[in-house]
Structures are given as structure tokens and as C-alpha cells.
Amino acid sequence: MRDLGTGFGYLAKGQRWVASHGRWLGIGLIPGLITLVLYAAALTGLALGADDLIAWATPFADDWSSPWIDLFRGFLTVLLFALGLFLAVITFTAVTLLIGQPFYESLSEQVDKSESPDGTAPESGLPLLRELWISARDSLRILVRALLWAVLLFALGFIPVLGQTVVPVIGFGVTGFFLAQELTSVALQRRRVEVREQLAMLRANRMMTWGFGVPLALSFLIPFVAVFLMPGAVAGATLMVRDLRGENQLPPQQPQSGDPSLYAAGGQPAAPYGQQAPGAYGQPQAPAPHGQPMQPAPQAPEAYGQPRQPMQGNPYAK
């Protein structure tokens, strides 16, 4: 059963995988560090200029008396920064994956090889520039969807009580879903799975998707944690993709030649299903013509290879 625990289990397995492959952990940290510096600068600028931006956007409140104007604009400032943080969490993965596409592609491929029985990994067969274009295009589509959700949740945040209790929970659920989509897209793009199919696959397994993405979204609120979790998140997402596509299931076992079940009584090979078993001593039993009785199997030979003579008369007659 694919539930929340299953999704979280794949997140933990991914972290363990990169921990046991230190080289890939170091490679996976590079794109996250670059993105972290960019986002830290953007959020710092938003925090410093949020008051002026809210004052410019609400000129109708200039004549309000204190403390109402301060409470109103302070509330909007908090919501604006929360919206910026929400978008940063959602888009952090997309931007990091875009910057680190070659790094995470190699990481995901290595995870596939380590889990595959034959040591191979699916390949898209596309040039690198084509893969980067597809990744950027799909990330933009997901970003548009995330922005629509962000605007809706921002508007719902004005509802008393509901906006401070239910809306944040929904927000983390949405964030976790889109995080899982972005991370699984690394492995799914190599399998030529389009965005619509990706979303349909994740919606069909919402509980597992939330179990994977929501804890990751919560951890991203802690500074620097996202950078260190990204390589393991990519590895865990690859493992989850293998489960969703049934690639972790072992092929059916083929019977061995020495399997006793392959032989019928007397040491003769058993006939395949739907075919007639061979006759005595390995001779095929010919089908009888229509309307004629079936011919009996040949008689067993007597000792020393002599044929058995037919019995004459009634041996019990006096």
C-alpha cells in the first residue's frame, strides 16, 4: 500500500543512498549552493523593501488613524513576505534543477544503474541542449500552476481564523506536491514521460507524493537544509519513480531444467499446458480418427527383451 509512510521512506532511502556515495553528495551540493545565494539575496531585498512596497500599493490608507494603518500595512507586509517565501520554496527546486541539470541527471542515472538488475539506466537519447530546453519549458509550466495556487492561497489568507489555520496546511500540501513533481521529473524525462503524464501519475498516488514532498517542504524552511537535502531528494525521487513504474519488481522466475515439476510419472517430460502428454516409453500417442476408439499404448516388453505372447484360452477354465 502506497501511503504517507511509503513516500517518506523513499525520501529517507535517497538520503541514505547519497550518504553511502560521498562523491555524488559533493557533486549534488554545487547547484544548491548557487541557488541558495541567489534566493538569499532576493529574500533579503524583499524584507528590506516590503514596507515601502506596501505603502506604495495602499495609498488609500494614508489618511487612516493610528494604530489601524500600522496594523493593516503590517499585516500586508507579513503576507507579502510569506508569499515570497512560499514562492521561494516552490521555485527553489525548479531553479536548482535547471542550474544543476547535468549534475542531477548523472546522479539519477547512477541511482538507476545501482538498482537495475542488469546495471543499466533508461536514456532519453536527446542532446543536452534539447534536454535543457524541455526542463526549462516544463519548469515554467509548473511555475505557472504554482503561481495560480499562490495567488489563491494569498487571497484566502485574509479570511479570519481559516486563513491562519487551514490555508497554511493547504499551502504545504501544494508545495509538497509540486516539489515531488519537480524532483521526479529528472528521472521521468529520461523515460520520455511528459508533464501531463507526470502529474497524472502523482495524482493517482497522492498520499505517497505528499509523504515524500511535504516533509521536504517543511525542511526547506530551515536555512541551508535544502542545499544538503537536494542530492538525496533527487536519489529518493528516482527510487520512487522506479516503484511507480513497476521497475522494482523482479521478473518471473523461469523453471530450471532439473525441476521435478517438469517431469511426469516415469521420468517422462510433462507436456506443456494445452498439449497431449507423450505415450509410454516416450512414444507420442497419436490421436484417434474421428469415431474410432483410441489405440492402446504398446505393451511393455518381457524379460530379456522378448515380446509378451498373447494368452490362449481361459486360464481359469477346468
Side-chain angles (χ1 to χ4, degrees):
M1 179 180 181
R2 295 168 176 171
D3 52 9
L4 294 173
T6 305
F8 183 77
Y10 280 115
L11 181 60
K13 289 178 183 177
Q15 303 303 324
R16 289 196 297 268
W17 192 94
V18 296
S20 60
H21 299 75
R23 172 174 173 267
W24 292 103
L25 176 61
I27 293 175
L29 291 177
I30 298 175
L33 290 172
I34 298 174
T35 309
L36 179 65
V37 172
L38 297 176
Y39 272 64
L43 289 175
T44 300
L46 178 62
L48 295 176
D51 292 337
D52 296 335
L53 182 61
I54 293 297
W56 172 81
T58 57
F60 57 87
D62 290 340
D63 298 332
W64 290 11
S65 60
S66 183
W68 302 114
I69 185 173
D70 296 331
L71 290 175
F72 176 69
R73 287 180 171 172
F75 177 69
L76 292 182
T77 301
V78 172
L79 281 181
L80 178 62
F81 187 79
L83 176 62
L85 187 62
F86 175 77
L87 292 177
V89 171
I90 289 180
T91 59
F92 181 89
T93 304
V95 175
T96 304
L97 292 176
L98 185 60
I99 295 175
Q101 175 71 18
F103 301 94
Y104 294 132
E105 184 75 20
S106 300
L107 171 60
S108 176
E109 184 177 352
Q110 189 64 32
V111 174
D112 267 325
K113 289 181 178 180
S114 67
E115 295 295 319
S116 176
D118 55 1
T120 60
E123 296 181 1
S124 64
L126 299 175
L128 178 59
L129 292 179
R130 176 65 176 172
E131 289 184 352
L132 290 175
W133 162 249
I134 293 176
S135 177
R137 180 197 64 188
D138 294 346
S139 297
L140 182 61
R141 292 177 178 176
I142 297 300
L143 179 60
V144 171
R145 294 172 183 265
L147 285 174
L148 294 176
W149 273 100
V151 172
L152 176 61
L153 294 174
F154 180 77
L156 293 176
F158 289 96
I159 303 176
V161 182
L162 183 66
Q164 292 75 42
T165 55
V166 178
V167 172
V169 175
I170 298 176
F172 279 113
V174 173
T175 304
F177 183 88
F178 283 120
L179 280 178
Q181 190 281 327
E182 288 287 350
L183 290 166
T184 54
S185 66
V186 178
L188 289 173
Q189 284 177 4
R190 284 192 293 108
R191 292 162 168 82
R192 296 292 192 92
V193 180
E194 297 293 333
V195 176
R196 291 183 180 179
E197 298 178 53
Q198 296 176 19
L199 294 174
M201 181 184 302
L202 295 178
R203 290 193 191 103
N205 299 272
R206 281 190 177 91
M207 298 304 293
M208 185 169 68
T209 303
W210 284 331
F212 181 88
V214 172
L216 194 61
L218 291 172
S219 64
F220 277 16
L221 298 179
I222 305 174
F224 305 108
V225 170
V227 177
F228 292 98
L229 291 183
M230 274 298 294
V234 173
T238 304
L239 294 174
M240 188 167 69
V241 166
R242 295 182 61 84
D243 181 19
L244 291 175
R245 293 178 60 83
E247 297 174 6
N248 288 333
Q249 299 177 2
L250 296 176
Q253 294 288 337
Q254 297 295 330
Q256 302 298 322
S257 59
D259 190 347
S261 63
L262 295 178
Y263 295 89
Q268 298 297 328
Y273 179 78
Q275 300 183 16
Q276 190 175 18
Y281 305 103
Q283 299 298 324
Q285 188 171 354
H290 181 70
Q292 300 296 326
M294 181 176 294
Q295 299 297 323
Q299 297 287 337
E302 282 286 347
Y304 307 107
Q306 298 300 323
R308 176 181 295 177
Q309 298 299 323
M311 184 177 295
Q312 303 293 332
N314 186 359
Y316 300 101
K318 294 184 179 178

